[in-house]
Amino acid sequence: MTGAPGRLRGVTKRAAGLVLLVCAAVLPGLIQPESALAHRAALVRDTDPHSDGDMPMPPGGHGEVVPEEAMRPPAPTLPREGWTATADSEETQEGDQRAQNALDGDPATLWHTEWSGDGTPRPHTITIDMHRTAVVSGMVYQPRQDGSPNGRIGEYAVSLSGDGTVWGKPVATGTLADDATTKTLRFVPARTRYVRLTATSEAGGRGPWASAAEINLLGDPGGPAPGADLPRDGWTATASSEETQDADDRARNVLDGDSGTLWHTRWTGTVPPLPHSITIDMHRTAVVSGLSYEPRTDGSPNGRIGQYSVTTSLNGTAFGQPVAAGTWQDDDTVKGATFSQPVSARYVRLTALTEAGGRGPWTSAAELRLSGPADPAVHGRWSSVIGFPLVPVATAVLPNNKLLAWSAYAPDRFGGSNGYTQTAIMDLATGKITQRRVDNTKHDMFCPGVALLADGRVLVTGGSNAERASIYDPGTDKWTSTSDMNIARGYQGMTLLPNGDAFVIGGSWSQDNAPDKGGEVWSAATGTWRKLPGVPVTPILTADPAGPYRADNHAWLYAMAKGRVLQLGPSKQLNWISTDGDGSITPAGTRADSVDAMNGDAVAYDVGKLLTLGGATAYENATATNRAYTVDANGGNGKPVSARTGDMSYARSFGNSVVLPDGKVAVFGGQSYAKPFSDGHSALTPEIWDPATGRFTALASMAVPRNYHSVANLLPDGRVFTGGGGLCGDCQTNHADGAIFTPPALLNPDGTEKARPRFVGDIPAKVAHGQQLKVTTDVPVDRFALIRAGASTHSVDNDQRRIPLTPRKTGTSTYELTVPADSGVALPGTYMLFALDAHGVPSKAAILTVTPAGK
Ligand SMILES: *[C@@H]1O[C@H](CO)[C@@H](O)[C@H](O)[C@H]1NC(C)=O
Ligand SMILES: *[C@@H]1O[C@H](CO)[C@@H](O)[C@H](O)[C@H]1NC(C)=O
Ligand SMILES: [Cu+2]
């Protein structure tokens, strides 16, 4: 331990000794990896108990606490000196409610549109002139605080202008919750002078007004540069100093995709002074536009880079003037350096001039990445950020081309068992978002299990009201209760069964783990629950240090013929579950060499074939993996066969994945170090996996982190919605928004949309298993795919599954498709039918319901 000041500085001798003892006991005779040591040290050192007085805690005390980092601003609030505000309308007759009041730092004064006279009709605008140019990444809107709700902004758009005359397309749009809490409207960082908020509706529909107590703007979040990551194959890294004595902290560790390994300058023996540098050699020349730096993930802050500069070279000898320079904040978020302009380079050098916290003369890094300009045809494209009136913690794709989303009893926080839930529905055709508090089912549906029923209704179980079960019917737009479960649950896994019943298992998060959260089945016919005494929860547990409270969470389930269910994670142990009679559970092997992968995810990308991505050995405080596996449920001789496939470039816990019509799987968000309610270590680069090659390719980077409590769903138009994250009250990591990703298959290199095949004529809304379906397209197509509508929460979507269909061509562009006869293959429910042309460009989907014959 002596001679490790870079790691354990600040830890008392006693604590360090304690750590040694612990580790020696764990790994006798082995040299303890420094990262693990330092992490233990961080845990020992961390004695500042964060009390979160404003976070109501659920009874039974499930220990979800908001970490301190969640309280830190993600981007600096810009100083408002010298700013002016103007509005299309101001009340000046009956009150002094001018636009400027939104900038005065006094929440008691407000801007209100004229209300004494006739009032001016909507939309209303308030325009801020900063009188200087700055990078802006968000607007913070505080509704009036005087008790009146009038004029709270509902639907909004934010636009930017350099000169106050020419305005671009909105950088953010959305709908805000009808309450008095402060809202953050995020967007892609941009340099601007003028920022305009346009209100197109009053949140409660109370009148033609708009009002605001305060408006602030957020500056540069310093996150990873926008664009697309360059693939790191064949890259090497060298550094001015490396620790190789007491740890293998070499420069090359920043390129290995494993955030648990790190580069650290020498901290044994004679410790070299700052500055330190690390140089990446790409072994080829590429256009580089930015660098991203992930600090070490092991809990120690030592060596985090503060002041930095970036230089580049074509030949490794001559490095030019810095292409980027600045100072990174002393925290665990992924940092970026956007170059003054894209440069052609083979070598990129990052020089650390200071340690972010002034803790010592070291420099460390978990990962370094370089980005280049994004090519839409390779990397896809993001919509602007769409504000939601709640944090979309759970979502379900509905048969009526709408997306249902909900949070908890509040739009921005959870706690207790309040008996009601905030919900929102986005109409995917118009983008309109409506909000509703659901009281009648007496069910706070925070942290639930979800299964989409055979007829497109949404069954939601447990969560904060842990025994309750509710059903949303998109046909009537109503919520109703079904019977309570026998066992109270939160964080359970659910799946529909081929006969239309639903299976649930696990869920100790809400209530404790007594009784055993074994399996039970909901009957579609009777609406009642039947316990499966033959399906205890024990075989599916992970070895989470937090015990069953975490170990039985978020089961990955794949339902098959005859009510058999493959449980393929997150435990490393796989199990077959029979839901017949009393049920049974039997081992089904392991997921190749995978360890437990809590908060990783699983996607059924083909019949019986699943891809599993990421996860960690513990729910929290654990480094995630970048590994991915395939699991073939049918394998050889009906046994699941698992294999490791390509690694993701990013390790991810809390990511979400969707299968696309062509069978590729796109993964969004997650963080390399699992920590609920934190934006630290966010993977802002989505990746796409190709089943043909087993390789992942980077996609265009996202503007907003999507970690714990985020979602992703394939939409019927072939795009992907991803949103949410947080739900931690007054924290800074609430993400009451989403964005829509257009996959590369839909775009040309110049960003224009590719021509897509279209369905012509009617497609029946309902088809039975084994039935033939005659379809016509406007141009000849190659293949078809059915993708079951998804429901997403907590990185689990046991509903989505893709079924490729081979057409029988009956004319130039007429085809006969056969819906699988096996209801275990085509699990009943809402499906999106896509036609794909020879280049893999998908149509928009026809939405149909696959029903058991005769129903
Ligand atoms: C590297 O490039 C610089 C500038 O183009 C040149 O002056 C220098 O001689 C080159 N060095 C080598 C070793 O090729
Ligand atoms: C994770 O770390 C936080 C502090 O960073 C601590 O409060 C929490 O109890 C830890 N959780 C577990 C399961 O060890
Ligand atoms: Cu949760």
Side-chain angles (χ1 to χ4, degrees), residues 177-447:
D178 183 19
D179 62 34
T181 62
T182 299
K183 278 94 184 150
T184 302
L185 288 45
R186 286 188 174 78
F187 43 85
V188 176
R191 194 164 274 284
T192 190
R193 171 173 161 176
Y194 297 86
V195 181
R196 174 173 288 170
L197 175 64
T198 302
T200 46
S201 79
E202 205 265 4
R206 282 168 292 257
W209 324 289
S211 62
E214 289 296 309
I215 293 178
N216 271 287
L217 298 176
L218 299 177
D220 191 344
D229 287 4
L230 298 171
R232 296 187 292 179
D233 318 46
W235 291 13
T236 53
T238 50
S240 55
S241 165
E242 296 177 328
E243 174 59 36
T244 55
Q245 191 100 16
D246 271 21
D248 186 28
D249 286 350
R250 288 166 207 271
R252 62 166 182 242
N253 291 343
V254 303
L255 300 176
D256 65 359
D258 179 354
S259 303
T261 65
L262 62 146
W263 164 56
H264 198 297
T265 53
R266 188 162 170 195
W267 47 263
T268 54
T270 310
V271 178
L274 285 155
H276 299 295
S277 70
I278 183 164
T279 306
I280 293 171
D281 178 358
M282 297 189 283
H283 292 269
R284 56 191 173 260
T285 300
V287 176
V288 191
S289 55
L291 170 145
S292 83
Y293 159 64
E294 182 180 0
R296 61 194 291 185
T297 59
D298 59 6
S300 165
N302 290 343
R304 274 183 199 155
I305 300 173
Q307 200 189 341
Y308 70 90
S309 74
V310 182
T311 50
T312 66
S313 168
L314 282 164
N315 65 8
T317 312
F319 283 80
Q321 289 298 308
V323 291
T327 304
W328 285 320
Q329 284 194 80
D330 183 20
D331 62 33
D332 66 349
T333 59
V334 179
K335 323 292 183 203
T338 302
F339 296 179
S340 43
Q341 58 184 52
V343 289
S344 253
R346 171 174 160 179
Y347 301 85
V348 178
R349 174 171 293 167
L350 171 64
T351 301
L353 301 158
T354 66
E355 204 265 4
R359 283 168 292 257
W362 328 286
T363 299
S364 63
E367 292 290 308
L368 288 179
R369 294 182 168 86
L370 301 174
S371 57
D375 173 350
V378 177
H379 305 112
R381 183 173 58 212
W382 285 95
S383 75
S384 56
V385 177
I386 304 163
F388 266 66
L390 46 74
V391 175
V393 179
T395 47
V397 175
L398 304 175
N400 53 11
N401 200 29
K402 291 179 179 174
L403 184 73
L404 170 68
W406 67 96
S407 52
Y409 80 97
D412 64 345
R413 64 195 68 207
F414 71 94
S417 311
N418 298 281
Y420 58 87
T421 302
Q422 303 290 341
T423 71
I425 291 179
M426 176 158 71
D427 183 325
L428 297 170
T430 62
K432 241 184 155 40
I433 302 169
T434 52
Q435 45 186 308
R436 188 196 314 175
R437 180 175 132 169
V438 176
D439 285 75
N440 66 305
T441 57
K442 301 184 172 55
H443 185 182
D444 182 336
M445 300 182 286
F446 172 63
C447 298

Side-chain angles (χ1 to χ4, degrees), residues 66-73 331-332 675 677-679 732-733:
V66 179
E68 213 168 312
E69 304 87 87
M71 297 300 162
R72 262 186 230 133
D331 62 33
D332 66 349
K675 194 161 212 177
F677 308 116
S678 159
D679 280 348
Q732 301 288 337
T733 54

Side-chain angles (χ1 to χ4, degrees), residues 46 620-621 675:
D46 200 356
E620 56 180 329
N621 303 344
K675 194 161 212 177

Side-chain angles (χ1 to χ4, degrees), residues 64 393 446-447 491 509 619 708-709 794:
E64 297 241 32
V393 179
F446 172 63
C447 298
Y491 285 1
W509 171 76
Y619 204 101
Y708 187 54
H709 290 157
H794 294 82

Side-chain angles (χ1 to χ4, degrees), residues 63 508 513 542-553 617-621:
S508 289
N513 61 317
T542 64
D544 199 296
Y549 165 67
R550 289 305 198 190
D552 72 359
N553 295 180
T617 51
Y619 204 101
E620 56 180 329
N621 303 344

Side-chain angles (χ1 to χ4, degrees), residues 46-242:
D46 200 356
T47 50
D48 175 22
H50 174 70
S51 79
D52 51 342
D54 45 24
M55 278 297 293
M57 292 313 289
H62 18 90
E64 297 241 32
V65 281
V66 179
E68 213 168 312
E69 304 87 87
M71 297 300 162
R72 262 186 230 133
T77 301
L78 294 172
R80 295 185 288 184
E81 280 93 59
W83 291 12
T84 52
T86 51
D88 71 303
S89 166
E90 297 177 325
E91 175 61 36
T92 52
Q93 195 96 15
E94 297 278 330
D96 183 24
Q97 298 178 340
R98 292 164 208 271
Q100 195 66 24
N101 291 345
L103 300 179
D104 66 359
D106 179 2
T109 66
L110 58 135
W111 163 58
H112 199 297
T113 54
E114 185 187 345
W115 49 267
S116 59
D118 290 342
T120 27
R122 286 185 307 264
H124 292 300
T125 61
I126 181 166
T127 304
I128 293 169
D129 178 358
M130 297 190 287
H131 292 270
R132 56 190 173 263
T133 298
V135 173
V136 183
S137 64
M139 174 181 276
V140 180
Y141 164 67
Q142 183 183 36
R144 63 194 289 180
Q145 299 293 307
D146 61 357
S148 165
N150 290 345
R152 277 182 198 155
I153 295 172
E155 285 171 65
Y156 70 89
V158 178
S159 356
L160 309 179
S161 171
D163 59 8
T165 308
V166 181
W167 295 87
K169 278 202 314 194
V171 291
T173 58
T175 304
L176 300 174
D178 183 19
D179 62 34
T181 62
T182 299
K183 278 94 184 150
T184 302
L185 288 45
R186 286 188 174 78
F187 43 85
V188 176
R191 194 164 274 284
T192 190
R193 171 173 161 176
Y194 297 86
V195 181
R196 174 173 288 170
L197 175 64
T198 302
T200 46
S201 79
E202 205 265 4
R206 282 168 292 257
W209 324 289
S211 62
E214 289 296 309
I215 293 178
N216 271 287
L217 298 176
L218 299 177
D220 191 344
D229 287 4
L230 298 171
R232 296 187 292 179
D233 318 46
W235 291 13
T236 53
T238 50
S240 55
S241 165
E242 296 177 328

